[in-house]
């Protein structure tokens, strides 16, 4: 795989907004409120600077609404040559608004080297949110540009937050922002990498590289080892490709561990559909079909880097789903890891086949919970759109816990049921289960399929990230076009919340 993009530096500074030496200073502004038009600038600026900013930004059309960005000359406000007024909206306390505003501001400043952020009454939460949003907004993927590389604006290189560098809470906030952003950007890189450059063996190598300097061990099953142990789902999906499948286990088990979490990520490095071939348009973005695996690799990296006191095992079943003379056929019956048989009626419903093997294997180690993330169904995109993932679970409390984590992380997710009839639609007349239902509620029958493979008594949740894993529209907030790193932040937040829950009196 090609070398990945450098990320921006992130630091704190005790300088005043007026004196900070950067190329652009970002200031959050809000609508004035009531019937008064115009914007209001933060109180941490001097009265004169504040008045000047409100006047000039308002004259240039700034509204203070979320997503609004206005660039203005800094005369009378700051030493930095440019000031960017970014809208935060009227409400307070929504850290996701801060992340998005910071991301959008940094994105709009591509081509500028050093950017400073004014933070009104900084707290650990706002420092982390602005730092994370800014780093995520400074992402770009130019590894595969040739002659056009020189024409691309260089993303922002250095981000300085105006908050006390000696405050230990702010330092911790910065450490978290750094670790989370790096892992989200790693997941984005993996998704953006063309499928020819990231076959299953390379994805496995990327998992090794991601944790090379961390207290994480990685086991890789080759095709031969998969065959020996009977991983029939992973093998069947991979058998049509010239690039053989793998199973990867990333193990982080700190001494002070309080709980164990198994994360499972769908790692289809390219989904052509197999013999149930997709139409050309539907195939264009199918390099994203390892988005779940990317989320797992990113999350394990960040959790280990932050030294969180939880055991986390990241499981990545990875294969390339291709049609060929060796490919599995609609009508084949395969024997999965653990012995269940599956009638494969549509080779494009391949994600559940590789996941089921990995879920059974993960369950053997008796983790407290299993959570999988997968770009599993087009039905998820129909139901929830491009930006919201579906959460399904065999345990209502766990589903709510995962949703709470997604809210804290700033990732849009919503609850879906696994109704009885979705499982019934998977009844096969010749095998234990078939891999497609009756075509209705496709996201739910995919979850029903997976649930059959979860060991009795183990709590499990499934995230269908088919929509949010890949942004085929324009960039917004801190979200770039292409790979988004969806799932990474929720997984990390689940690990954080687990430790907080275990520590609570
Ligand atoms: N990888 C696709 C799902 C997908 C669709 C991901 C759009 C991202 C964006 C998955 O393997 C698939 O093809 N699912 C089929 C299942 C069907 C055959 C039961 C689908 O959703 O059409
Ligand atoms: Zn498919
Ligand atoms: Zn797929």
């Amino acid at each position: 795989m090609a070398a990945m993009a450098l990320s921006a530096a992130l630091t704190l500074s005790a300088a005043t907004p007026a004196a900070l030496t950067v190329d652009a200073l970002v200031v959050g502004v809000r609508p004035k409120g009531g019937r008064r038009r115009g914007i209001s600038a933060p109180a941490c600026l001097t009265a004169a600077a504040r008045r000047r900013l409100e006047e000039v930004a308002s004259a240039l059309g700034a509204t203070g609404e979320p997503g609004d960005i206005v660039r203005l000359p800094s005369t009378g406000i700051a030493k930095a040559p440019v000031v960017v007024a970014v809208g935060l909206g009227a409400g307070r306390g929504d850290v996701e608004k801060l992340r998005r505003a910071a991301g959008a501001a940094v994105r709009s400043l591509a081509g500028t080297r050093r950017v400073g952020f004014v933070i009104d009454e900084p707290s650990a939460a706002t420092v982390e949110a602005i730092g994370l949003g800014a780093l995520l907004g400074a992402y770009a993927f130019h590894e595969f540009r040739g002659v056009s590389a020189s024409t691309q604006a260089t993303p922002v290189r250095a981000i300085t937050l105006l908050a006390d560098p000696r405050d230990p809470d702010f330092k911790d906030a910065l450490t978290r922002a750094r670790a989370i952003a790096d892992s989200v950007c790693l997941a984005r890189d993996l998704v953006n990498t063309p499928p020819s450059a990231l076959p299953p063996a390379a994805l496995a190598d990327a998992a090794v590289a991601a944790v090379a300097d961390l207290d994480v061990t990685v086991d890789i099953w080759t095709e031969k080892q998969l065959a020996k142990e009977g991983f029939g789902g992973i093998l069947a999906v991979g058998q049509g490709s010239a690039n053989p499948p793998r199973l990867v286990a990333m193990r982080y088990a700190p001494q002070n561990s309080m709980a164990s979490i198994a994360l499972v990520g769908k790692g289809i490095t390219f989904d052509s559909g197999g013999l149930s071939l997709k139409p050309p348009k539907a195939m264009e973005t199918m390099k994203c079909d390892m988005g779940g695996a990317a989320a797992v690799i990113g999350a394990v990296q960040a959790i280990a880097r932050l030294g969180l006191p939880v055991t986390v095992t990241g499981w990545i079943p990875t294969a390339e789903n291709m049609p060929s003379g060796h490919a599995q056929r609609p009508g084949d019956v395969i024997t999965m890891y653990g012995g269940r048989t599956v009638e494969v009626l549509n080779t494009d419903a391949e994600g559940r086949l590789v996941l089921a093997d990995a879920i059974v294997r993960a369950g053997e180690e008796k983790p407290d919970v299993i959570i999988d993330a997968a770009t599993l169904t087009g039905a998820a995109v129909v139901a929830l759109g491009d930006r919201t993932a579906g959460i399904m679970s065999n345990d209502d409390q766990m589903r709510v816990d995962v949703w709470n984590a997604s809210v804290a992380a700033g990732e849009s997710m919503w609850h879906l049921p696994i109704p009885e009839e979705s499982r019934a639609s998977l009844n096969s007349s010749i095998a234990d289960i078939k891999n497609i239902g009756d075509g209705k509620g496709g996201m739910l029958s995919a979850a029903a399929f997976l649930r059959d493979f979860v060991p009795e008594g183990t709590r499990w949740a499934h995230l269908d990230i088919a929509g949010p894993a890949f942004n085929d529209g324009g960039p917004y907030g801190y979200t770039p076009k292409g790979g988004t790193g969806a799932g990474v932040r929720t997984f990390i937040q689940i690990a954080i919340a687990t430790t907080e829950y275990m520590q609570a009196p």
Side-chain angles (χ1 to χ4, degrees), residues 1-286:
M1 203 173 55
M4 291 309 174
L6 292 168
S7 58
L10 178 66
T11 50
L12 299 171
S13 167
T16 63
L20 184 68
T21 47
V22 285
D23 303 308
L25 188 69
V26 179
V27 186
V29 298
R30 298 176 190 274
K32 259 225 159 76
R35 270 185 290 119
R36 286 176 303 166
R37 306 236 330 237
I39 54 149
S40 103
C44 60
L45 302 179
T46 63
R50 202 176 162 190
R51 215 175 315 117
R52 173 88 188 151
L53 172 58
E54 289 175 355
E55 216 174 83
V56 179
S58 297
L60 289 170
T63 63
E65 294 300 338
D68 184 57
I69 291 175
V70 170
R71 254 190 218 228
L72 46 135
S74 64
T75 328
I77 304 169
K79 194 164 128 192
V82 170
V83 167
V84 173
V86 58
L88 299 177
R92 302 245 168 194
D94 181 351
V95 286
E96 177 60 7
K97 271 191 191 150
L98 292 180
R99 292 186 199 107
R100 289 189 187 191
V106 166
R107 224 166 19 76
S108 80
L109 284 163
T112 308
R113 262 190 90 74
R114 299 165 303 170
V115 174
F117 277 83
V118 173
I119 307 183
D120 205 20
E121 295 174 37
S123 67
T126 58
V127 166
E128 180 178 337
I130 293 169
L132 177 55
L135 287 174
L136 293 179
Y139 176 82
F141 187 75
H142 296 317
E143 308 335 296
F144 289 82
R145 287 191 185 275
V147 294
S148 64
S150 58
T151 64
Q152 302 299 309
T154 313
V156 167
R157 302 297 316 141
I159 296 155
T160 306
L161 309 183
L162 290 178
D164 188 350
R166 289 160 316 187
D167 186 317
D169 289 345
F170 295 172
K171 283 192 210 165
D172 286 351
L174 223 62
T175 303
R176 279 193 302 275
R178 172 91 264 162
I180 296 169
D182 285 353
S183 292
V184 171
C185 292
L186 168 64
R188 291 174 176 178
D189 280 345
L190 292 172
V191 168
N192 287 331
T193 300
S196 62
L198 198 73
L203 183 61
D205 289 345
V208 173
V211 293
D213 55 351
L214 296 168
D215 196 9
V216 178
T217 58
V218 183
D219 295 325
I220 299 174
W221 283 254
T222 62
E223 191 174 29
K224 228 170 130 186
Q225 291 161 325
L226 291 168
K228 202 169 147 223
E229 296 180 33
F231 288 92
I234 299 172
L235 288 165
V237 174
Q239 74 190 36
S241 171
N243 302 309
R246 296 283 186 270
L247 173 65
V248 183
M250 310 173 74
R251 301 172 188 282
Y252 168 65
Q255 297 271 304
N256 56 352
S257 171
M258 301 189 293
S260 62
I261 303 175
L263 302 176
V264 183
K266 173 178 174 182
I268 299 299
T269 58
F270 181 68
D271 184 9
S272 71
L275 287 177
S276 310
L277 196 65
K278 287 183 185 294
K281 263 284 163 212
M283 238 186 264
E284 280 179 12
T285 58
M286 279 305 133

Side-chain angles (χ1 to χ4, degrees), residues 178-492:
R178 172 91 264 162
I180 296 169
D182 285 353
S183 292
V184 171
C185 292
L186 168 64
R188 291 174 176 178
D189 280 345
L190 292 172
V191 168
N192 287 331
T193 300
S196 62
L198 198 73
L203 183 61
D205 289 345
V208 173
V211 293
D213 55 351
L214 296 168
D215 196 9
V216 178
T217 58
V218 183
D219 295 325
I220 299 174
W221 283 254
T222 62
E223 191 174 29
K224 228 170 130 186
Q225 291 161 325
L226 291 168
K228 202 169 147 223
E229 296 180 33
F231 288 92
I234 299 172
L235 288 165
V237 174
Q239 74 190 36
S241 171
N243 302 309
R246 296 283 186 270
L247 173 65
V248 183
M250 310 173 74
R251 301 172 188 282
Y252 168 65
Q255 297 271 304
N256 56 352
S257 171
M258 301 189 293
S260 62
I261 303 175
L263 302 176
V264 183
K266 173 178 174 182
I268 299 299
T269 58
F270 181 68
D271 184 9
S272 71
L275 287 177
S276 310
L277 196 65
K278 287 183 185 294
K281 263 284 163 212
M283 238 186 264
E284 280 179 12
T285 58
M286 279 305 133
K287 67 175 182 181
C288 84
D289 215 19
M290 33 58 70
V296 169
I297 295 171
V300 173
Q301 183 191 57
I303 290 164
R305 196 167 157 196
L306 292 171
L308 300 180
V310 275
T311 296
V312 177
T313 308
W315 295 92
I316 297 148
T318 174
E320 186 179 43
N321 190 22
M322 297 290 263
S324 79
H326 296 285
Q328 65 172 335
R329 310 148 192 83
D332 280 354
V333 172
I334 60 176
T335 302
M336 309 288 281
Y337 185 76
R340 279 168 200 272
T341 59
V342 177
E343 185 183 12
V344 177
L345 290 175
N346 189 320
T347 63
D348 198 11
E350 83 298 338
R352 62 197 74 183
L353 301 178
V354 302
L355 287 167
D357 270 358
I359 287 171
V360 174
R361 182 61 187 81
E364 281 181 356
E365 303 188 0
K366 308 236 172 299
D368 295 323
V369 295
I370 300 176
I371 313 168
D372 76 75
T375 47
L376 203 58
T377 64
V381 190
V382 174
L384 297 169
D386 276 340
R387 300 188 185 181
T388 302
I391 316 174
M392 286 137 280
S393 178
N394 61 0
D395 182 281
D396 287 339
Q397 183 57 52
M398 181 173 175
R399 179 169 46 69
V400 173
D401 290 345
V402 170
W403 179 74
N404 279 323
S406 76
V407 172
E411 295 197 287
S412 177
M413 300 195 182
W414 196 246
H415 314 259
L416 280 311
I418 310 178
E420 226 175 90
E421 66 275 18
S422 325
R423 176 59 188 84
S425 74
L426 297 170
N427 285 333
S428 162
S429 48
I430 64 165
D432 295 340
I433 192 168
K434 55 186 172 118
N435 80 329
I436 48 167
D438 56 14
K440 299 173 203 158
M443 170 170 39
L444 317 181
S445 52
F449 181 94
L450 295 178
R451 188 181 56 186
D452 258 34
F453 293 84
V454 177
E456 194 67 46
T458 302
R459 286 181 296 153
W460 156 80
H462 159 58
L463 305 179
D464 195 330
I465 58 169
F470 197 84
N471 174 22
D472 40 22
Y476 59 93
Y478 50 72
T479 307
K481 203 172 160 56
T484 61
V488 174
R489 291 186 290 143
T490 296
F491 277 159
I492 299 168

